[in-house]
């Protein structure tokens, strides 16, 4: 055995390791493939050995080869072997390989389930970590289903390292197994407030990613995110949250209103470009969502545009690019504010970076108006000339066409100008977009009737100069234009000045070098032209000219008859025969022109591209019904073809299927006809279907207006669009002058005091009338076309499955599947219960609660026992809620016992109203947060019918006594329990009251309708005055930093109270031993911090300063100074203002939600010190009192019963602070526990002070 | 979300590739080649973003790259990522590599693909800096080395 091991290790010495492989590959540059194939053979040998080290080495090499593009899927099983090695070094190699090459269709994956589960629950956090990371790359729906519960458990692992990964991988699990989203969501939400910043930001990332696809389901999280946004200093997290808000605002405009202010502050204060950029982006999204009815946000738009301008002007190409990108978003709703930066954007067109030029082009698209279209296109044309590289030039070309044709040629006032632009564009060499220009020409010529004469003239010129375009036909896409030109000249030949000349141009021998489809159009339209020419010639001369024309056709057409292109050949020979026949008639002096023209009579109208799709399905037509019954299964294979052919024309079937009996066929046909006649679904041939378009109205009645052409129709050579620009200017000038005249007249007549607004201001959009009235013929749609409802959603998008309402209560059928055998005994907090599970049969809830009630009635002696049982049961229920698929009679929400657990995901209506509340009136986030917590904690409405008598008040102390005498050993612990019991009892009592008194009076405080039933909370603000003088007022709010246990963030609002400009503000604080102002690196310990903004008169703005604090148990005061310069028009003076920053102990507390059972556990743990305080003469409703404590002292309500509430908070350094607040007759007693007595004492003092002030 | 991380040299030879969606080996190599062609054509002083087009999964995606000496670092991300953020991330990634190898160069990547957290580095940089939605990769170093800290958070642009 030992020998074998030694031998194995010696073998390994000669094995190639990864380095050798890499070196080998580098040394065999010429025959790399050959070398690798020998290596793969070696690896195969190595994989056959028993030694796991050798296998791991081989797998390691395979991983590298996979990265070079070699298929290694054959080694999948060996990878699984290495994965299951107990040694971490090998396991890691295995998982790495798996993450590189496993995917959903790898079949060995199903073998890994148990191995992965084992690794996930390994005591070694790195085993777990490696399994999580690996799993994230190859998770399949099966794995997701089987492991979802294990991963969910890991989300509350003690190590942040694991929690973080577990949270992230949940995203992949959701994608593969959408059913897991709802059960897991409450915990995911919990992780948003995880003490570890890494876990927190992982949760933010996952939720953002989920919310991006289905934002509406996550609206209820907005308050939470808002809080994070205002408290977090981690830019990465901020960026994510801000991006998320960008996705949420379109759904909830009120959210946008709330966001504007903090975002604007961030924009002002941040120095990070990435954050600034995202803020601007979200502000834009907000503005878009608010665009209706919120006129007073022009300041925000201006701010955004101004910041973006800074980005665009930056020398960094990346910023420039992003600036343009964001600008294009503003453009959609606020084009005016962007248009003022036209200069800048046009400048970007000259940039050397193509991406930037393309972005700038995108912007131009939205910036055009009737007024500036010509000017912009003129600039673009210049760029077309200058542009190097065909791709960019093509892009320019398409953009020009896009810009001009957008929204049905809305901005074009002069179509002559547009046609000439198109013609100019044909001079581009080597463009691929000939067809685009061609289709534009066709579109304009067909739809803008007034322009046809001009268009035809231009097209004739083009045809004449075709040789310019076809210089090198084959690789030149521009010859497509000739297709349009030929068609237009042919179709509208009545507008041609000199049709004969054009006809000749179309029949030039060189035409034969054009692509086939163009030639075909040439031939066909030559025929049309021929008809027109005939008509004019027959009227004038005595027929020789006409005969000459026919002769010309007969001479030239044979060239096309020889064409290799079928279409051309067919048309040419057809037309050739026709012309020969015409010639014969002409020789007999017959007038043929009318008849020839009749060949091409009728108008062609454009048809909308969607028309076909929009044809409504006629009533009674079932498209899914079989036209012929499918062949029955019993029919043999070789009979099938008969059935198929029988459907076709008998002409086909007869010669082919001679073997089929003729009579039989006839019989079948007869039968089928019979069937069709009787079948209402069979479409019978309708002779009228074609005529619909011809009869369609819309051509005749369109008034065609005479054009007064200011440019001679015949432009020598190719036209210059510039002329139009000048002409247009003149025309507008004239128009304006006329208008002014009219206006003056009017004013004289009226003599009323109307403003001079039309006098000198720039002409507005409406003032510009098109050069000549044009009718744009709309595209035809079938009659009674259905209104469009285009469903663009990709049915294969995995995120579609995740469109799940997260606020609905969890149904019991939705639990994650769990495998286990042992029933649980120990009570668990919901944060931990995931890892245990009970297979014990679940009692129906109703029954159990009744049981409980009954037990309650029992004698004092049995009380404790029954209570314990109850407690057990309660926890069973909780687990059942989270995990098990039991089937209780009542929905979970209505069970009182479970409300603490069920609250977050269940209280739909409460949460919705929370959100509304938060959005509508909550002035400061923490306040609303509190309200939300109160409501969430107390939300579910107890509905169970209780037949028990109310427990009487005096029972309770007695109860405590018994309790205490009974257990001497765990006295303290019991006490805690007792307290909890008491609370519960009270609650129960309350429920009872609630039931019997029909919610009358102030008893009905407890449930989710708090806000509606009670008087509204008075407005509160945490901002307290810091210092004030005649120039400036400073108010501040001090908050602990969630991210860092030693930091406190001070938000100071500076308000300029004077009429002067305040600038160069410097904020400085004298550091103490305990607290230090965080200064940028390199700054001295006594340097002040520059406030990152200036204040115009009357403006206020907020800045944040971060302090590092060592000990948080004592409050302290810091002296500080603000220096600033007051700038008047003529002078500027230095001023300073002293202040004292008061860090109360409260400011080190952070509102942290806590479940009641976790709370109970905490109290039981026994390491908390107790203290209490009494407040006399507090004259306010209890909920106001609670709200005050929550708001001013950063507590959250854990549970509330009548006039008693438990509250929780945590300090930035992790001290737990628990309160039990009771009130009776204006006296409030607060019992408090904390693991740090001095902190507790100070906090209580501060609470006392708060209430003494009011 | 990050869709792929590609590292290749000035000649388009792949040095490290990680796709977070499954493609066949051929497609992966094809993507790397196309990306190289797109990226290598660009001047040094132009912006670092490329609209990826159909390369990986459609128009929502962007290529964000940086060029260091002989290596291109290309991240393919979708629209949920901040462009400037990813640029910073690449910087952090490279700084981390530099820390691991002391003056990292292409050869280090060639010879130590498995070693010292090359594979893990992107993820580590990510998780240290950002904790974004990126699965971390296992790494071939001692457990003791695992918590290499990213030196100092990159200064935001």
């Amino acid at each position: 055995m030992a020998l074998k091991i030694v031998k194995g290790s010696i073998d390994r010495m000669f094995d190639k390791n990864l380095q050798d492989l890499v070196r080998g590959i580098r040394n065999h540059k010429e025959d790399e493939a050959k070398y690798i194939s020998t290596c793969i053979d070696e690896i195969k040998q190595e994989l056959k050995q028993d030694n796991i080290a050798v296998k791991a080495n081989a797998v390691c090499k395979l991983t590298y080869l996979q990265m070079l593009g070699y298929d290694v899927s054959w080694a999948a099983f060996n990878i699984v072997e290495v994965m299951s090695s107990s040694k971490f070094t090998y396991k890691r190699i295995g998982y790495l390989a798996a993450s590189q090459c496993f995917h959903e269709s790898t079949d060995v994956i199903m073998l890994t389930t148990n191995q992965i589960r084992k690794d996930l629950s390994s005591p070694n956090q790195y085993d777990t970590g490696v399994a999580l990371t690996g799993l994230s790359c190859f998770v399949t729906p099966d794995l997701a289903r089987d492991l979802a519960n294990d991963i969910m458990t890991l989300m509350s692992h003690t190590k942040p390292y694991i929690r973080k990964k577990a949270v992230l991988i949940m995203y992949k699990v959701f994608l593969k197994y959408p059913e897991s989203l709802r059960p897991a969501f409450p915990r995911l939400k919990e992780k948003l407030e995880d003490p570890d910043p890494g876990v927190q930001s992982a949760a933010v990332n996952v939720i953002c990613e989920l919310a991006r696809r289905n934002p509406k389901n996550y609206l209820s999280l907005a308050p939470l995110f808002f809080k994070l946004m205002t408290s977090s200093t981690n830019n990465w997290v901020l960026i994510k949250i801000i991006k998320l808000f960008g996705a949420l605002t379109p759904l909830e405009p009120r959210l946008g209103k709330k966001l504007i202010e903090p975002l604007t502050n961030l924009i002002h204060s941040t120095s990070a470009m990435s954050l600034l950029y995202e803020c601007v982006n979200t502000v834009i999204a907000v503005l878009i969502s608010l665009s209706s009815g919120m006129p007073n946000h022009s300041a925000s738009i201006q701010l955004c545009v101004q910041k973006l301008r800074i980005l665009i002007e930056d020398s960094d190409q990346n910023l420039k690019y992003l600036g343009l990108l964001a600008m294009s978003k503003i453009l959609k709703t606020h084009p005016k504010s962007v248009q003022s930066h036209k200069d800048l954007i046009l400048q970007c067109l000259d940039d050397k970076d193509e991406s930037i030029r393309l972005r700038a082009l995108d912007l131009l698209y939205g910036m055009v108006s009737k007024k500036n279209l010509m000017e912009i296109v003129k600039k673009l044309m210049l760029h077309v000339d200058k542009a190097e590289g065909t791709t960019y030039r093509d892009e320019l070309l398409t953009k020009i066409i896009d810009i001009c044709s957008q929204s049905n040629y809305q901005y074009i006032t002069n179509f002559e100008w547009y046609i000439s632009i198109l013609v100019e564009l044909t001079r581009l060499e080597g463009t691929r977009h000939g067809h685009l220009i061609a289709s534009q020409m066709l579109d304009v010529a067909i739809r803008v009737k007034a322009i046809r004469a001009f268009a035809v003239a231009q097209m004739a010129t083009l045809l004449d100069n075709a040789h310019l375009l076809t210089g090198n036909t084959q690789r030149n896409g521009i010859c497509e234009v000739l297709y349009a030109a030929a068609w237009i000249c042919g179709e509208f030949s009545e507008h041609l000045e000199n049709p004969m000349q054009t006809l000749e141009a179309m029949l030039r021998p060189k035409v034969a070098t054009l692509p086939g489809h163009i030639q075909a159009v040439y031939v066909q339209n030559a025929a049309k032209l021929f008809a027109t020419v005939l008509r004019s010639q027959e009227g004038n001369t005595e027929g020789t000219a006409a005969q000459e024309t026919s002769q010309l056709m007969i001479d030239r057409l044979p060239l096309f008859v020889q064409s290799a292109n079928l279409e051309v050949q067919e048309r040419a020979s057809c037309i050739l025969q026709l012309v020969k026949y015409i010639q014969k008639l002409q020789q007999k002096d017959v007038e043929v022109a009318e008849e020839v023209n009749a060949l091409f009579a009728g108008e062609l109208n454009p048809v909308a591209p969607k028309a076909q799709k929009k044809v409504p399905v006629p009533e009674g037509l079932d498209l899914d019904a079989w036209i012929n019954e499918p062949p029955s299964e019993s029919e043999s294979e070789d009979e099938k073809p008969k059935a198929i052919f029988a459907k076709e024309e008998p002409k086909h079937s007869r010669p082919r299927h001679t073997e089929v009996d003729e009579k039989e066929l006839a019989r079948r046909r007869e039968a089928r006809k019979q069937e069709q006649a009787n079948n209402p679904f069979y479409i019978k041939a309708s002779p009228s279907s074609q005529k619909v378009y011809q009869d369609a109205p819309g051509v005749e009645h369109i008034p065609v207006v005479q054009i007064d052409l200011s440019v001679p129709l015949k432009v020598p050579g190719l036209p210059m669009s510039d002329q139009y620009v000048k002409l247009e200017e003149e025309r507008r000038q004239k128009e304006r002058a006329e208008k002014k005249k009219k206006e003056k007249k009017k004013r004289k007549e009226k003599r009323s005091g109307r403003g001079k607004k039309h006098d000198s201001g720039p002409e507005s959009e409406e003032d510009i009338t098109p050069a000549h009235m044009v009718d744009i013929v709309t595209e035809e749609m079938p009659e009674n076309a259905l209104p469009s409802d285009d469903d663009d959603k990709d049915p294969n998008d995995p995120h579609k499955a995740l469109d799940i309402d997260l606020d609905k209560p969890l149904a019991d059928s939705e639990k994650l599947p769990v495998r286990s055998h042992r029933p649980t005994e120990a009570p668990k907090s919901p944060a931990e219960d995931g890892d245990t599970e009970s297979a014990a049969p679940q009692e129906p809830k109703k029954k159990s609660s009744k049981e409980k009630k009954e037990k309650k009635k029992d004698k004092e002696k049995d009380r404790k026992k029954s209570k314990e049982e109850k407690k057990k049961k309660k926890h069973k229920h909780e687990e059942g809620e989270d995990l098990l698929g039991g089937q209780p009679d009542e929905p979970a929400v209505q069970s009182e016992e479970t409300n603490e657990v069920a609250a977050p995901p269940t209280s739909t209506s409460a949460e919705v109203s929370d959100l509304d509340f938060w959005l509508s009136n909550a002035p400061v986030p923490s306040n609303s947060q509190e309200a939300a917590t109160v409501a969430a904690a107390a939300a579910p409405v107890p509905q169970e019918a209780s037949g028990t008598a109310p427990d009487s008040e005096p029972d309770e102390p007695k109860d405590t006594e018994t309790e205490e005498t009974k257990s001497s050993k765990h006295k303290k612990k019991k006490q805690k329990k007792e307290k909890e019991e008491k609370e519960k009892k009270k609650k129960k009592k309350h429920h009872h009251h609630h039931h019997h008194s029909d919610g009358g009076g102030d008893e009905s405080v407890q449930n989710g309708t708090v806000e509606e039933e009670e008087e509204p909370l008075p407005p509160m603000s945490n901002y307290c005055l810091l210092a004030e003088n005649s120039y400036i007022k400073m108010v501040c709010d001090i908050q602990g930093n969630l991210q860092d246990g030693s930091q406190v963030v001070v938000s100071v609002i500076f308000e300029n109270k004077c009429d002067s400009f305040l600038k160069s503000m410097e904020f400085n604080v004298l550091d103490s031993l305990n607290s230090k102002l965080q200064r940028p690196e390199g700054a001295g310990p006594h340097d002040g911090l520059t406030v990152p903004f200036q204040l115009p008169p009357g403006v206020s703005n907020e800045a944040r300063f971060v302090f590092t604090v060592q000990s948080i148990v004592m409050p302290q005061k810091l002296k500080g100074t603000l220096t600033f310069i007051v700038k008047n028009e003529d002078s500027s003076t230095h001023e300073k203002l002293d202040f004292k920053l008061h860090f109360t102990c409260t400011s080190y507390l952070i509102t942290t939600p806590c479940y009641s059972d976790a709370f109970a556990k905490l109290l039981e743990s026994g390491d908390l010190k107790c203290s209490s305080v009494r407040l006399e003469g507090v004259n306010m409703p209890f909920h106001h009192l609670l709200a005050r404590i929550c708001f001013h002292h950063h507590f959250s309500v854990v549970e509330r019963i009548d006039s008693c509430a438990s509250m929780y908070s945590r300090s930035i350094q992790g001290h737990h602070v628990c309160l039990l607040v009771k009130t009776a007759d204006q006296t409030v007693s607060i019992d408090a526990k904390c693991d740090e007595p001095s902190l507790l004492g100070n906090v209580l003092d501060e609470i006392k002070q708060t209430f003494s002030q009011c | 979300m990050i869709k792929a991380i590609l590292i290749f040299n000035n000649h388009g030879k792949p040095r490290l590739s990680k796709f977070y969606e499954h493609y066949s080996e051929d497609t992966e190599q094809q993507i790397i080649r196309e990306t190289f062609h797109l990226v290598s054509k660009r001047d040094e002083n132009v912006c670092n973003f490329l609209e990826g087009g159909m390369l990986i999964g459609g128009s929502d995606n962007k290529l964000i790259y940086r060029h260091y000496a002989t290596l291109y670092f290309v991240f393919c991300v979708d629209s949920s990522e901040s462009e400037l953020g990813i640029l910073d991330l690449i910087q952090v990634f490279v700084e981390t590599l530099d820390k691991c190898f002391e003056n990292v160069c292409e050869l280090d990547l060639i010879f130590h693909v498995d070693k010292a957290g090359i594979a893990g580095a992107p993820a580590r940089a990510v998780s240290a800096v950002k904790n974004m939605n990126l699965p971390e990769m296992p790494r071939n170093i001692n457990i003791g080395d695992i918590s290499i800290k990213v030196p100092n958070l990159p200064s935001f642009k």
Side-chain angles (χ1 to χ4, degrees), chain A residues 66-67 92 99-100 103 126 133 136 164 201 205 209 212 236 243 273-274 318 321 353 355 359, chain B residues 18 22 25 29 42 46-48 51 78-80 129-131 135-136 139-141 143 156-157:
Chain A
Q66 197 273 344
M67 226 145 58
R92 192 178 46 214
S99 71
Q100 278 292 93
H103 50 90
Y126 297 111
T133 35
S136 71
K164 187 164 61 191
S201 71
N205 270 302
E209 198 65 36
R212 197 164 66 94
W236 299 100
K243 269 191 167 259
M273 272 302 181
S274 44
N318 293 328
Y321 175 87
D353 187 347
S355 313
R359 284 279 143 239
Chain B
K18 179 68 210 159
H22 178 256
E25 278 77 13
Q29 296 306 312
R42 297 175 63 87
V46 300
C47 75
N48 298 99
E51 245 105 305
D78 68 13
S79 64
S80 72
V129 181
K130 181 165 187 198
N131 304 108
E136 203 166 327
R139 50 193 90 86
N140 275 2
I141 38 169
I143 292 172
F156 278 85
K157 283 203 168 177

Side-chain angles (χ1 to χ4, degrees), chain A residues 313-559:
Chain A
E313 282 172 340
D314 199 287
S315 60
D316 185 341
Q317 299 284 333
N318 293 328
L319 295 183
K320 193 174 272 195
Y321 175 87
L322 293 175
L324 290 170
L325 200 64
M327 202 67 119
S328 67
K329 287 182 195 153
I330 301 189
L331 190 67
K332 281 173 204 140
T333 47
H334 302 90
K336 289 244 168 67
S337 36
V338 182
Q339 271 163 16
S340 54
H341 299 283
K342 204 175 67 192
D343 54 321
L344 189 65
I345 287 153
L346 285 173
Q347 208 177 307
C348 287
L349 283 179
D350 294 324
D351 201 285
K352 56 189 176 301
D353 187 347
E354 200 173 293
S355 313
I356 287 177
R357 288 195 304 244
L358 293 179
R359 284 279 143 239
L361 272 181
D362 277 350
L363 269 177
L364 278 182
Y365 179 81
M367 280 173 54
V368 291
S369 63
K370 283 183 179 167
K371 207 168 34 168
N372 61 15
L373 176 73
M374 284 187 167
E375 184 195 345
I376 287 180
V377 172
K378 187 180 157 195
K379 290 227 170 89
L380 286 181
M381 292 300 281
L382 281 180
H383 282 284
V384 171
D385 290 340
K386 279 193 288 181
E388 297 154 10
T390 50
T391 38
Y392 178 57
R393 205 162 47 182
D394 280 357
E395 192 60 37
L396 271 171
L397 190 154
T398 43
K399 265 284 138 33
I400 291 178
I401 289 178
D402 276 356
I403 286 174
C404 292
S405 64
Q406 66 175 312
S407 40
N408 215 3
Y409 307 103
Q410 187 190 346
Y411 298 117
I412 294 186
T413 50
N414 188 337
F415 278 93
E416 285 179 26
W417 163 82
Y418 185 45
I419 293 275
S420 47
I421 286 285
L422 289 175
V423 173
E424 264 179 64
L425 285 176
T426 61
R427 279 183 288 173
L428 277 187
E429 252 176 60
T431 178
R432 281 181 290 113
H433 291 299
H435 61 276
L436 199 63
I437 304 176
S439 68
Q440 279 293 299
M441 287 174 167
L442 285 172
D443 199 38
V444 171
I446 294 169
R447 293 175 57 195
V448 186
K449 288 194 153 201
I451 202 69
R452 279 183 195 162
F454 179 76
V456 168
Q458 292 295 327
M459 295 305 122
T461 328
L462 264 186
L463 285 179
D464 252 353
N465 300 313
H467 57 277
L468 292 178
L469 302 179
T470 55
N472 34 11
T473 35
Q474 293 319 316
R475 17 180 212 101
N476 199 336
I478 206 69
C479 59
E480 289 289 331
V481 171
L482 294 175
Y483 175 101
W487 191 87
I488 292 172
C489 285
E491 183 66 23
F492 307 118
S493 48
E494 67 269 21
H495 298 294
L496 271 178
E497 287 268 292
N498 193 347
M500 192 59 206
Q501 189 190 344
T502 313
L503 181 62
E504 270 180 58
M506 281 168 80
L507 293 173
R508 277 182 205 142
K510 234 191 151 195
V511 172
T513 58
L514 289 172
H517 65 284
I518 299 179
Q519 283 187 54
V521 171
Y522 263 71
V523 172
Q524 186 73 10
N525 286 287
K528 290 184 197 168
L529 267 182
F530 173 64
T532 320
V533 171
L534 271 191
R535 184 157 59 181
S536 64
Q537 285 174 335
E538 273 185 0
N540 296 342
T541 53
E542 59 264 26
T544 47
Q547 282 187 32
E548 272 166 31
T549 318
S550 307
Q551 192 54 47
L552 175 81
M553 292 286 279
I554 290 166
D555 288 347
R556 298 282 174 85
L557 278 175
L559 177 70

Side-chain angles (χ1 to χ4, degrees), chain B residues 63-81:
Chain B
L63 295 177
I64 298 175
Y65 73 95
R66 268 179 188 268
H67 189 198
Y68 292 92
T70 59
L71 287 175
Y72 283 99
F73 291 75
V74 185
F75 279 46
C76 180
V77 302
D78 68 13
S79 64
S80 72
E81 297 298 338

